[in-house]
Amino acid sequence: MQNQRWTAGRVLFFAALAALYTGLFLLVWRTGFYDVAGAHNDRVFSADDVYFVTHFFSAELDTSPRIIKHPLLILFGCLFTRLEGLVLGPISLEHHYMLIVMMQMCVGWLCAVVLDRVLEEQYQLSCRHALLVCAIFALSFSTLFYILVGESFIYSALVLLLTLYFARRQNLPVTVALGVLAVGITITNGALWAAIVVCSGGPWKRRLAALALGGGCFCAVMALTPLRNQFFTSLLPGALGSADNFSDHFAPLGVVRRVFFAFFGSTGFYLDTMNQSAFGDFVGDALAFVPSASPPIVAAGLVWTGLLAWSVWKYRRSPLLYAPLAVLGCNLLLHGLIQYGLKEAFLYSLHHWPAQVCIAALPLGPGGDDRERRIVTWVLTAYLMALVVLNLPGYRALAQYILR
């Protein structure tokens, strides 16, 4: 009877989540946000949504230098748009954008479903605790933003979550296929996919085989696409140029401040903003986060950071820690130590946010004692409530900016 009750609870949770995402989509649509005629990139938090919906998702295959970063996603976007034209005929750019967002809503919903399976089957959380963690992931600002704004990051989150699930199950064919997708969506995801494969356990021969097959299959797939010549000839010089153009040079204290707000603040919360892009462009016609927030949001970020640090120390010998910690560590190395894209690091939230919630969930599993589990449950419940309540002023400010 108890299992039946929690099964019904799980169905109700995911149905409510689907309804919430749909309702938010309708609200954003009513603002006119998806009518991008005359709009520019970087209008909200450095998202390249205008280029994404007009060039990635275009009937004409994009052959710009961006293909070295998102090769298979660009190909998918072209196929999606051509199929859209065959089925629906000519449609407005606004409706084209809306169809893309509808797909992203489904992908975001699937992220929560896969996270629930990871937590219940592999981390052995109860259904109640797993749904609590799923709610934190699903209602965070970064997740909501990237299901409702055209960008690549929600696709990355799904592929990385699936890799966490299937690599630990040592499913070699699916893990290799996910490696191809991970690199094809965003080229730097290859490092995150490889980190998960290496740190998920199993025989070393199998792990090395997965790495070799994943890299080889991606190259083989790319060799079959129309993008092959430009991709392989531009990859190395393009990557070096991107690193040079987007790397920052902040002082150590500035790096610490920006890393805290980007990794442990804006993932969940709407921070303070400035009316220009992260690089100072489009003054008065763009929004970007600054590394500051109200005291309650700072306190919530510090609590979250403390929970992660304690969980890493407490479960440092748990095999379940290694893969998500490796993902978080790779992102901290790239965007923190190397400072690649640190000015606009919110962009990359969904490359590490799923890993963070998995680390935070460790104390809720069978490895902790009952007292610790109760304390962490209350902490996570309070954090979830903070995500809802403390973000309301930010959501109102964002709506006012869009409607201005």
Side-chain angles (χ1 to χ4, degrees):
M1 182 66 68
Q2 186 175 9
N3 288 338
Q4 291 179 350
R5 184 169 69 249
W6 278 114
T7 298
R10 187 184 295 112
V11 171
L12 181 63
F13 173 86
F14 287 108
L17 184 61
L20 173 65
Y21 283 177
T22 303
L24 291 174
F25 165 69
L26 293 175
L27 286 175
V28 175
W29 172 39
R30 288 173 64 88
T31 68
F33 181 81
Y34 298 130
D35 184 4
V36 294
H40 59 79
N41 282 331
D42 296 341
R43 55 185 179 149
V44 280
F45 309 120
S46 294
D48 289 339
D49 66 314
V50 177
Y51 192 95
F52 188 79
V53 302
T54 58
H55 289 73
F56 279 33
F57 282 79
S58 169
E60 299 298 324
L61 187 61
D62 185 18
T63 56
S64 73
R66 293 174 186 253
I67 67 165
I68 67 167
K69 294 183 179 180
H70 313 281
L72 296 183
L73 182 58
I74 289 175
L75 185 61
F76 169 75
C78 179
L79 295 174
F80 175 93
T81 307
R82 290 179 182 180
L83 180 61
E84 172 191 274
L86 288 173
V87 175
L88 300 177
I91 62 173
S92 69
L93 182 56
E94 180 182 19
H95 290 152
H96 175 59
Y97 196 152
M98 290 167 61
L99 286 174
I100 294 169
V101 169
M102 289 177 190
M103 179 170 59
Q104 291 185 185
M105 288 166 49
C106 295
V107 172
W109 185 84
L110 283 173
C111 284
V113 173
V114 175
L115 178 61
D116 174 66
R117 293 297 84 212
V118 169
L119 295 175
E120 291 198 43
E121 293 182 18
Q122 299 180 352
Y123 284 63
Q124 298 181 17
L125 268 63
S126 67
C127 182
R128 174 171 64 97
H129 286 137
L131 293 181
L132 170 61
V133 177
C134 287
I136 289 173
F137 172 82
L139 299 182
S140 68
F141 176 72
S142 57
T143 301
L144 294 177
F145 183 82
Y146 284 119
I147 64 171
L148 296 171
V149 175
E151 261 288 8
S152 65
F153 299 102
I154 193 65
Y155 304 100
S156 295
L158 178 60
V159 170
L160 293 174
L161 278 166
L162 287 169
T163 304
L164 280 170
Y165 182 76
F166 285 103
R168 186 149 188 86
R169 291 170 65 94
Q170 299 182 39
N171 188 320
L172 185 61
V174 176
T175 302
V176 169
L178 289 168
V180 175
L181 292 177
V183 181
I185 292 170
T186 301
I187 199 75
T188 53
N189 278 347
L192 305 182
W193 171 83
I196 295 172
V197 171
V198 169
C199 296
S200 290
W204 273 103
K205 287 184 178 180
R206 195 176 189 86
R207 286 185 258 183
L208 293 175
L211 294 178
L213 287 170
C217 288
F218 171 75
C219 291
V221 169
M222 283 305 304
L224 296 174
T225 71
L227 302 171
R228 55 185 174 273
N229 291 333
Q230 186 179 358
F231 176 80
F232 288 116
T233 57
S234 304
L235 179 59
L236 185 58
L240 293 175
S242 178
D244 183 58
N245 291 335
F246 292 98
S247 292
D248 296 306
H249 305 282
F250 295 106
L253 288 179
V255 171
V256 171
R257 181 181 183 87
R258 287 178 176 274
V259 165
F260 168 74
F261 281 104
F263 277 78
F264 312 111
S266 62
T267 43
F269 295 98
Y270 191 101
L271 307 182
D272 293 339
T273 61
M274 58 182 179
N275 285 114
Q276 59 186 34
S277 76
F279 292 94
D281 300 322
F282 310 114
V283 177
D285 194 27
L287 274 183
F289 282 136
V290 294
S292 67
S294 65
I297 289 178
V298 173
L302 288 171
V303 169
W304 179 260
T305 307
L307 174 60
L308 292 178
W310 176 78
S311 186
V312 168
W313 173 254
K314 174 77 174 180
Y315 297 93
R316 61 191 181 277
R317 294 186 175 87
S318 171
L320 295 171
L321 170 67
Y322 302 147
L325 183 60
V327 170
L328 180 57
C330 285
N331 279 279
L332 286 169
L333 173 65
L334 178 63
H335 305 299
L337 186 61
I338 299 176
Q339 299 189 41
Y340 178 81
L342 185 55
K343 274 194 187 76
E344 48 184 9
F346 167 73
L347 270 181
Y348 311 104
S349 297
L350 293 191
H351 287 175
H352 53 81
W353 182 232
Q356 288 193 45
V357 296
C358 286
I359 294 171
L362 278 169
L364 300 177
D369 60 43
D370 290 340
R371 180 173 174 273
E372 290 177 348
R373 195 176 296 112
R374 284 195 298 270
I375 292 173
V376 173
T377 300
W378 281 110
V379 169
L380 291 177
T381 301
Y383 185 80
L384 175 61
M385 294 175 64
L387 289 179
V388 175
V389 175
L390 297 182
N391 276 331
L392 290 177
Y395 293 148
R396 283 196 293 267
L398 181 59
Q400 289 171 359
Y401 166 77
I402 295 173
L403 291 169
R404 75 195 191 287

